[in-house]
Amino acid sequence: MTGRSSTRKAKADTRGSRRNQAGRRGPTAGRTRSWRDSPLRRITPWLFLAAPLALLITFTYVPVASMISYSFTDWDGVSPDRENVGFDNYVSIFTRPELFRVFFVSGYYLAASVVQIVVALYFAVILSFNLRFRNFFKGILFFPYLINGVAIGFVFLYFFQDGGTLDSVLAWLGVSTDHAWLGDPTSANVSLAGVSVWRFTGLNFVLFLGAIQSIPSELYEAAELDGAGKWQQFRHIIAPSIKPVISLSAILAISGSLSVFEIPYIMTGGATGTQTFVIQTIKLAFQFNKTGLASAAAVVLLLIILLITWIQRRLVPDDKVDLV
Amino acid sequence: MTSPDLTAAPNRPRPARRRLPVGGVLTYLSLLVATAVVLIPLVVVFLTSLKTSKEVGDGSALSLPGNWFNFDNYVTAFNDGKMLLAFGNTAFILLFSIGGTVIIGSMTAYAVDRFDFRGKRLVMAGFLIATLVPSVTTQVATFQVINGFGLVDTRWAPILLYMGTDIVSVYIFLQFIRGIPVSLDEAARLDGANAFTIYRKIIFPLLKPAIATVVIIKGITTYNDFYIPFLYMHSEDLGTISTALFRFKGPFGAHWEAISAGAILVIVPTLIIFLLLQRWIYNGFAQGATK
């Protein structure tokens, strides 16, 4: 879920290191000249890169290439022969409603990410001021992000049970419900999306907090002298400074919403209309042995995510995303 | 969470403590609500883990356990859930994948930052473009690669995958290595050290803070990962923390006291690590996610 912004960084990287290299040559140029040309010198970096590149190619590029090639076949993942079926798999994904439906499930998670970002932003702003028990609240808000996904799944299965945590808390507050929270598709998806807000708000919160804390405090002081209130400080100082991090979070939220897997798989197994794209792909590939169709689905997901990343990079220019 | 000193964020002097007269109450109220939302589900599961199965059946979820020292459910979860084995497998995978990630990441960063060679831009681009490909999307095909090596259902499958797909750590090292003065390399070179010695004796020891960051991020994400062990290690003997807990629920379907104990068993190590390393964890994730 991270990586997305690294491209930007790396661009800066190549620039930076070229400068380094030029500087390095300076005083010792005469001494290094002969060594620089020796064949050993030319091989050295490759000795260091051999293992990383082997892993990179084996576990990223080979899979991408073979996934694309499987996606045009009817391969079952096991048998030695496979038939080329052209674009049939892709046509199936977009025309068979039961396959396409998973995209609508992402909508719940997308809406949840909006809530998540707003809540994280709110708490990051108030906790960037000196409050009592600030570190305690910081810890509380972040901790859910560190918890094992399976454990979270179970905690919330119990939470949404009949007579479980949620019902008990509501009864205690004087609201009595006998609603089966995971019983119908809408309420199940809303519940599961709520769990993802509970789980991931902490990460957004820490990112925002880091960005807000890197704003020089003189800015606030100047603003205060000019008579700016809290809201104006937020609007004119904090908001513009953390725009890049918010945009990064938005991207992570979109691609995250498309690739939800753990929580719905653990809690409902994809039943009651909570099946997501990744659950479907895994079922297609490993239960129904439709490797070809599953690959086509994965290619579609990959293309959507690449498209979103590309749009984000057009909207937020490179050198701005460097705040944290 | 009660040791405020540990978390004292890299505090630059804040403008003097400002009061929020009316907003103040609401601010604290909202923080208390958030605290309740985070803690209630966890506390209830903790309470449940101490109850007997009769107490779970009769009482409300919020009722207190009759005996606060009833650890029977933990014993059940630990033994029947094969938790010892799971902790062992997870530790084994953690050790190798973190070790591998640190070595591979730092070697890559060293080679890319300290050498000028033909194809360097291509290598950089190779690592870059890979960051755009989320591993969930390629897993169907990655499975065939791992299968081709005959590694499905061994502990080496997750280890290789965790090592091979971790590009974030390469960037953390790259950021850091750039801050190490090149003059150190050159001094060593004049003393006759070769590139490998320089890497081992100079660069690697100086990378300690970056290594700490990578170990923390990698450690927590690996400990918590469900997807990869679930796909690649079917044997019951190869359960990790996540998959062992997942399988434990099967036979204990409605025994919430036992399942709760299992969940708490898995959460407690994370809680301890978090309390001990708070500051580094915040910084680590802030770096890891944005670099």
Side-chain angles (χ1 to χ4, degrees):
Chain A
M1 36 126 278
T2 48
R4 216 88 39 213
S5 72
S6 7
T7 13
R8 267 160 237 127
K9 272 279 158 39
K11 248 190 205 162
D13 288 349
T14 29
R15 251 181 276 134
S17 51
R18 229 180 299 137
R19 222 183 304 122
N20 269 351
Q21 239 99 33
R24 214 176 287 169
R25 220 159 281 169
T28 47
R31 168 71 181 73
T32 44
R33 167 72 39 201
S34 60
W35 193 80
R36 189 169 282 279
D37 295 334
S38 83
L40 190 64
R41 161 88 190 185
R42 246 178 286 136
I43 297 172
T44 317
W46 296 107
L47 292 178
F48 281 97
L49 287 171
L53 283 179
L55 286 168
L56 180 74
I57 291 167
T58 318
F59 295 112
T60 302
Y61 289 102
V62 170
V64 170
S66 47
M67 181 175 81
I68 294 170
S69 81
Y70 298 158
S71 75
F72 295 106
T73 68
D74 65 354
W75 195 35
D76 61 5
V78 196
S79 80
D81 43 46
R82 55 188 97 156
E83 198 97 341
N84 201 324
V85 294
F87 282 92
D88 282 7
N89 290 325
Y90 291 94
V91 172
S92 299
I93 290 167
F94 288 105
T95 51
R96 281 164 56 184
E98 79 274 16
L99 290 182
F100 196 72
R101 206 188 48 206
V102 290
F103 282 106
F104 297 108
V105 174
S106 302
Y108 289 95
Y109 292 93
L110 205 55
S113 342
V114 175
V115 175
Q116 179 183 314
I117 288 176
V118 170
V119 170
L121 189 57
Y122 168 77
F123 285 113
V125 169
I126 64 173
L127 285 174
S128 66
F129 294 108
N130 266 317
L131 288 176
R132 259 167 217 284
F133 310 115
R134 177 167 174 262
N135 292 316
F136 170 77
F137 289 124
K138 237 175 103 174
I140 291 280
L141 286 168
F142 184 58
F143 185 62
Y145 179 70
L146 302 177
I147 304 179
N148 186 291
V150 182
I152 293 183
F154 291 172
V155 166
F156 279 93
L157 260 184
Y158 192 58
F159 186 84
F160 290 118
Q161 277 253 316
D162 286 335
T165 314
L166 184 56
D167 285 345
S168 304
V169 170
L170 289 176
W172 189 68
L173 293 172
V175 189
S176 77
T177 55
D178 50 353
H179 187 75
W181 298 102
L182 301 175
D184 70 275
T186 308
S187 124
N189 277 315
V190 171
S191 304
L192 295 182
V195 177
S196 100
V197 174
W198 187 90
R199 187 181 183 191
F200 291 112
T201 299
L203 180 65
N204 286 120
F205 163 74
V206 164
L207 297 184
F208 294 155
L209 195 64
I212 292 175
Q213 281 178 341
S214 67
I215 301 171
S217 58
E218 297 83 58
L219 282 181
Y220 297 106
E221 280 154 29
E224 219 146 73
L225 284 179
D226 290 343
K230 281 258 141 30
W231 170 247
Q232 281 166 317
Q233 287 181 29
F234 172 76
R235 235 203 88 163
H236 297 292
I237 300 176
I238 298 180
S241 319
I242 61 173
K243 220 169 95 190
V245 188
I246 295 181
S247 124
L248 168 68
S249 301
I251 277 300
L252 294 179
I254 299 173
S255 60
S257 309
L258 288 164
S259 42
V260 175
F261 167 70
E262 267 185 27
I263 292 297
Y265 189 84
I266 291 159
M267 291 180 63
T268 64
T272 344
T274 57
Q275 177 139 301
T276 65
F277 204 94
V278 177
I279 297 181
Q280 183 178 67
T281 307
I282 284 186
K283 283 191 172 164
L284 285 176
F286 301 110
Q287 279 175 23
F288 305 120
N289 287 335
K290 291 190 188 277
T291 304
L293 186 58
S295 298
V299 171
V300 170
L301 179 60
L302 181 59
L303 288 178
I304 295 175
I305 290 176
L306 289 180
L307 178 73
I308 295 164
T309 312
W310 179 76
I311 292 173
Q312 185 252 1
R313 296 187 55 206
R314 296 300 301 267
L315 293 179
V316 182
D318 275 6
D319 45 62
K320 275 191 184 169
V321 193
D322 233 313
L323 260 170
V324 182
Chain B
M1 266 165 274
T2 43
S3 54
D5 282 320
L6 260 182
T7 53
N11 255 336
R12 51 195 74 231
R14 288 269 121 229
R17 178 172 296 193
R18 282 175 285 174
R19 290 276 160 86
L20 327 157
V22 191
V25 179
L26 288 177
T27 305
Y28 283 106
L29 196 66
S30 65
L31 284 166
L32 288 178
V33 170
T35 306
V37 169
V38 170
L39 290 186
I40 287 175
L42 296 172
V43 169
V44 167
V45 164
F46 174 67
L47 293 179
T48 308
S49 74
L50 295 173
K51 293 178 185 172
T52 61
S53 109
K54 190 170 161 2
E55 282 175 311
V56 173
D58 298 346
S60 121
L62 297 178
S63 66
L64 300 177
N67 172 10
W68 285 88
F69 297 98
N70 170 23
F71 294 119
D72 292 354
N73 299 318
Y74 287 90
V75 176
T76 310
F78 197 79
N79 293 334
D80 295 3
K82 300 195 175 170
M83 286 295 177
L84 192 60
L85 196 66
F87 277 108
N89 285 331
T90 306
F92 183 89
I93 292 170
L94 276 175
L95 185 73
F96 282 95
S97 60
I98 292 180
T101 303
V102 166
I103 291 168
I104 283 173
S106 56
M107 285 201 314
T108 313
Y110 174 68
V112 166
D113 187 60
R114 294 301 211 240
F115 290 89
D116 229 350
F117 53 95
R118 200 172 293 177
K120 176 169 161 171
R121 291 172 140 262
L122 189 69
V123 171
M124 281 305 293
F127 278 101
L128 273 188
I129 294 167
T131 63
L132 301 174
V133 180
S135 65
V136 282
T137 59
T138 51
Q139 224 50 248
V140 176
T142 308
F143 188 88
Q144 301 300 336
V145 173
I146 293 280
N147 201 13
F149 289 139
L151 291 176
V152 169
D153 219 15
T154 68
R155 284 177 292 196
W156 299 106
I159 289 173
L160 274 179
L161 288 172
Y162 293 139
M163 283 195 313
T165 52
D166 194 20
I167 290 135
V168 175
S169 75
V170 173
Y171 284 102
I172 293 175
F173 284 124
L174 209 51
Q175 290 291 319
F176 200 88
I177 224 167
R178 193 155 304 129
I180 299 175
V182 183
S183 52
L184 284 179
D185 298 36
E186 281 164 358
R189 181 146 284 150
L190 286 177
D191 287 343
N194 63 26
F196 185 72
T197 318
I198 293 173
Y199 163 75
R200 199 164 54 94
K201 292 248 168 87
I202 297 179
I203 302 292
F204 195 77
L206 286 173
L207 281 176
K208 267 186 202 138
I211 293 174
T213 302
V214 169
V215 168
I216 288 174
I217 301 186
K218 194 75 187 168
I220 292 174
T221 48
T222 307
Y223 179 84
N224 287 337
D225 189 39
F226 171 69
Y227 191 65
I228 286 176
F230 170 74
L231 282 185
Y232 291 95
M233 301 196 296
H234 310 290
S235 303
E236 217 163 301
D237 295 345
L238 291 178
T240 64
I241 288 301
S242 299
T243 49
L245 185 61
F246 183 68
R247 282 183 204 135
F248 176 61
K249 185 172 174 291
F252 286 84
H255 285 277
W256 278 105
E257 66 285 357
I259 296 167
S260 301
I264 297 290
L265 266 183
V266 167
I267 294 174
V268 164
T270 317
L271 181 65
I272 293 171
I273 299 278
F274 177 60
L275 290 179
L276 293 177
L277 303 177
Q278 281 189 76
R279 184 162 31 135
W280 291 276
I281 290 180
Y282 294 130
N283 293 345
F285 274 94
Q287 275 180 42
T290 49
K291 292 279 143 69

